[in-house]
Structures are given as C-alpha cells and as structure tokens.
Amino acid sequence: MNETTKIMEANRTSFPRDCSFTPNDWHILSAFWYPIAIAADIVDKPVGVKLLDVKLVCYRSQGNVVVARDLCFHRGAPLSMGWVENDEIVCPYHGFRYNCEGACTSVPAHPSNKISPKLKLIMYPAVERYGLIWTSLAGSVEQIPAFLGWDDSDYVNILPPSFDIAGSAGRQMEGFLDVSHFAYVHTETFGDRNNTEVPHYKVRREGTELFADYWSTVSNYGKGQENPAPEGFMWLRAFRVFAPFAASLIVHFPDDGKLMILNCASPVSVRYTRLFCPISRNFDKTAPVEDTIKFNLQVFQEDRAMVEAQTPEDLPLDLAAEAHIPADRTSIAYRQLLTELGLGRNYTS
Ligand code: FES
Ligand SMILES: [Fe+2]
C-alpha cells in the first residue's frame, strides 16, 4: 500500500464529523452493506445521500454507478451540487473534474499544470441489487441480504419509493419482527382488534441469521379487499433476519401464493432511518402495482407513528431495560444478535 492509498483508506473508514453514533458502534455498523437509493433514480445527475452520518454522492457514469464521499478536497464543496459531463463529475465551485475511478482529471484554473495523484475522491463500492443501490463504507466482505423472489421468473417485483422515518433503524427493524402489534397498530389495514392472541412460535438461529415461522389466523388481505381464504385458514409468516438492519418476510397466502418483502432499514444517522422495501409475489401478477404500493405505504405509516414515538428512541440492548412477553421471542433474539455484533447497550446512544 503506498502512502496515497493509505491516506485514502484512512479517510474512507474514518469516523465522520458530528457523528451521532459512538465510534465503536459506527465502526461495527460501517462493515455492513446498506441500500442508499432506488437504482432507477440514479442517472447522470448526482444525488446526495447520507449513510451512518457520512455524506455520499451517487451518480451514473458510463452506465456504472459511482458512490463517493460528497466532498471535493479542494475547498470542501459537495459534489452533489455539481453535474456529470462526459462521464466525469464536475465540482460546482471551481470546476475540478473527477473520473469514475475518483481521480482528478482537470483543474480549470491551471490547465497546463500536472495534477497531483492525491487529488482523488474517497470512493465506496456500489452494487445494484433488487432495484436498489447498495454500498458499504468499510467495503468489507459482509454480504448483501438474500431475497429469493426477486430473481425468480415466477414472481413479479414491486419497488415502493423509499420511506423516511425519524426514528432508529433498530426500533424500525424490531417493529417489523413484532407480531403482537397487528391487532392494535394495523387495524386500518390488515389487523383485527378481536384477534389479539399470539400463538406459540419458535426462533431458530443459523450462523448470524434468525428464522421465525409464525402461524396465526391473522389474514394478510387488506380491509375491504375480497378475502378468498377458507374459514380458519392458518397464515404462515416466515421471518428471516440479517443483522444488523434487514429482514425478509414471506407471507404464505392460499393456493401456494407467496408474498415476499425485504425490509431494509438504512441508518442515515442514529435517529433517522431510510426504509427500502422491495416486494415480490407469485400471484395477482397482473394486478396494478399502485394498489400494493398504496397498501404498503399505509402499513408503513401506521408503523412509523409508533417508531417515532417510542422512548427511549434507541433500541435498548440490555434485556433488563424493557419488559418482555413470550410473543417477543424474535425481538429478544434480535437484541441478542446486535449485542453479539459488539454494539453498545444502547447501541445508538
Ligand atoms: S471546491 Fe471543488 S473545485 Fe474547488
Ligand atoms: Fe407493523
């Protein structure tokens, strides 16, 4: 590793200014992959996003997605205010240009001078998957979560817009795994105030993943929607958790119908989350996707009201900090998983 590479590497993984995470938690969380944008929204116009308190710029050059620190080293201008020209990003302040490897190719004030190789953007890996752009600040070997339906030709894919929550990713994730709130929070969508009991279920651990198969009579059809499920139909909701902030859910409908949802809570900062939620299903393939998006949005909004109102705002990892009931098995296992990652007791405090 030469000196310049060392400096770039140190900058790439250095603790951001005004970071809302503790240094320990930030370093642990930065090893993972998170979605930062809807792939179709990333064209040749630079877009500014934030992940774990790091400001990033994202754009497309020669068809490839580029993710870099949203920072020009000349005078600190955000490149997301610039533009892309001939596959290079142009800084809006003094016109420095950077190629898709991040190297500076032009300093317009001194067109004949040699450009220092140190003038390079801090770059991050970019992967396009499930209609989303994913990155990892530490560029580590941790995996992007699996989502089985998306590449299966028997499924149709639906990608709702991202959804912002003024709450922590951990609280949002735990809400996604919570099965006893349906009858209270989701009464306008699919829950039933008269069906509150949570039957026994088990949580299984495989490597760093959690699995929970939850059987109940809570229907997944929306209010007012035709419900062709036979009387007493048992609904299976199969959860799979990928630490730290993603989980998939497969809802088993009648006639082998499967609805798959990948809940990805991207931690913008300690108490701000951008939710990405690709959906796949092997039934109702010609039904308008707008209806699904609308239904999902309403469910998200119901959840958001609660996640934004919970105290403490952070997910307490100390199991003695909140009361638990048997229905909370998955969320208890989830808190233990986050503790094993090495996150702090109140990982976001
Ligand atoms: S700050 Fe970017 S070119 Fe000067
Ligand atoms: Fe919910």
Side-chain angles (χ1 to χ4, degrees), residues 72-77 79 91-96 98:
C72 174
F73 276 124
H74 176 226
R75 287 294 180 268
L79 293 159
C91 180
Y93 201 175
H94 312 94
F96 285 30
Y98 300 89

Side-chain angles (χ1 to χ4, degrees), residues 39-60:
D41 292 344
I42 302 302
V43 284
D44 56 0
K45 191 180 164 348
V47 172
V49 297
K50 210 199 243 187
L51 175 66
L52 292 170
D53 286 313
V54 176
K55 288 180 187 160
L56 301 170
V57 61
C58 187
Y59 61 96
R60 223 174 263 272

Side-chain angles (χ1 to χ4, degrees), residues 169-188:
R171 283 283 194 198
Q172 190 285 329
M173 264 290 291
E174 196 176 77
F176 184 75
L177 304 172
D178 182 303
V179 291
S180 60
H181 76 293
F182 300 158
Y184 287 87
V185 170
H186 296 303
T187 43
E188 295 301 311

